[in-house]
Amino acid sequence: RCAVALDAWMFPLENALYPEVPRPVLFINTEKFQTPESVAKMKRLSSRNSQTKIITVLGSVHQSQTDFTFLTGKLLSRVFGARGTLDPYKGLDITSRAALAFKKNVAGGGARWPGAREGAR
């Protein structure tokens, strides 16, 4: 019924694909990974369905949406850019709440999860 794309790399997708995605998609982006071209492709896809949403978690990096940020220490993570300025626990909480709220909203008639809101950071 819907999809959640975590920091999606849109470059490899062919333009012909966009009409083939009629379902709502939630794009949860990190601040340091996305390019203007990739976001433009997301916007093009979002024009196909009014329920499609694009959010960016400020202070996050690509690895913020995985447990990788917890596997290395703070110093190593900073050196290799595996951790953003946002606390990794808060970043994963935002990502999880946004994905669950979107899924619940699309599949469950508009109900929202407590603490989740569009544009939250």
Side-chain angles (χ1 to χ4, degrees):
R1 299 182 85 185
C2 64
V4 175
L6 301 176
D7 224 13
W9 187 44
M10 302 296 288
F11 178 73
L13 297 180
E14 297 292 327
N15 289 334
L17 172 72
Y18 297 108
E20 304 297 322
V21 184
R23 303 284 185 207
V25 179
L26 170 63
F27 292 99
I28 304 177
N29 296 327
T30 61
E31 183 177 18
K32 300 294 182 183
F33 182 74
Q34 292 301 327
T35 64
E37 295 82 15
S38 189
V39 172
K41 285 190 172 201
M42 289 175 200
K43 287 180 179 178
R44 181 168 178 215
L45 194 137
S46 72
S47 69
R48 298 276 304 145
N49 188 301
S50 64
Q51 290 182 297
T52 292
K53 304 290 181 203
I54 303 168
I55 65 171
T56 298
V57 181
L58 300 179
S60 62
V61 296
H62 191 61
Q63 293 84 355
S64 296
Q65 294 180 332
T66 69
D67 58 358
F68 183 79
T69 191
F70 301 105
L71 298 177
T72 57
K74 285 184 180 181
L75 179 61
L76 222 63
S77 291
R78 293 271 187 220
V79 169
F80 291 108
R83 187 177 287 188
T85 57
L86 179 66
D87 175 80
Y89 290 99
K90 184 167 178 120
L92 281 179
D93 185 55
I94 291 168
T95 298
S96 298
R97 286 178 181 270
L100 290 171
F102 178 76
K103 187 173 186 291
K104 180 92 170 160
N105 187 39
V106 170
R112 301 195 45 100
W113 283 67
R117 66 185 191 280
E118 190 172 332
R121 27 181 196 144

